[in-house]
Amino acid sequence: MKDILFLLKHDFPDGPGQPYYCPECALINGVLHYYPWLRHHVEVRYVDFPRPRPEVVALVGEANQGCPVLVLGDGAPAVVEGVRIQTHGARRFVSGAEEIGNYFAAVYQTGRPH
C-alpha cells in the first residue's frame, strides 16, 4: 500500500454564509502543486467535511479523522527524524500540514516548511 493522503474537499458548507476551505489542506495542495511527482508516491483522497469521515475512520480511528492526515504505507520508515508518527492499531500516520510537510521533505526529498 502507498502512503494515503486525506484532504478535505474545498467549498464545503459549515453554517450560513459563503463556503469554506481548510487552510491546512490548501497548504498541502500547494505542496502537491510544487512537487507534482509526489502524486506517483502518495495516493491523494479528497473527503467531505462532515464527520464522521468513514474512509479516514476505517484506517486511523474516529479520534484521528482530522484532515490533513497521511496514512503511511507498508514500506514507510518506522522513524523519521523531526516527524511525530502516530499509531492506531497496526496503522501509522502523520497529522497536520507542518508534520506532513516535514515527512515529505525527509522521505521524498521535497523542500521543507519554513
Side-chain angles (χ1 to χ4, degrees), residues 12-20:
F12 56 83
D14 189 25
Q18 293 181 296
Y20 293 88

Side-chain angles (χ1 to χ4, degrees), residues 1-101:
M1 171 179 101
K2 285 183 178 181
D3 292 347
I4 302 171
L5 175 64
F6 288 98
L7 300 171
L8 292 178
K9 296 176 184 175
H10 66 283
D11 288 341
F12 56 83
D14 189 25
Q18 293 181 296
Y20 293 88
Y21 68 88
C22 168
E24 286 200 38
C25 293
L27 191 153
I28 295 300
N29 266 314
V31 172
L32 294 171
H33 175 77
Y34 286 163
Y35 306 100
W37 51 264
L38 271 174
R39 290 182 181 265
H40 297 289
H41 301 283
V42 177
E43 181 179 339
V44 181
R45 297 183 188 175
Y46 293 90
V47 295
D48 291 324
F49 173 72
R51 291 180 184 216
R53 299 179 182 129
E55 194 175 3
V56 181
V57 171
L59 293 174
V60 295
E62 188 172 355
N64 304 306
Q65 64 181 307
C67 290
V69 63
L70 179 68
V71 180
L72 303 184
D74 299 330
V79 176
V80 176
E81 186 176 339
V83 177
R84 181 173 174 241
I85 296 176
Q86 302 176 65
T87 60
H88 176 77
R91 294 274 184 217
R92 294 175 299 122
F93 64 96
V94 177
S95 289
E98 187 169 350
E99 291 289 324
I100 292 169

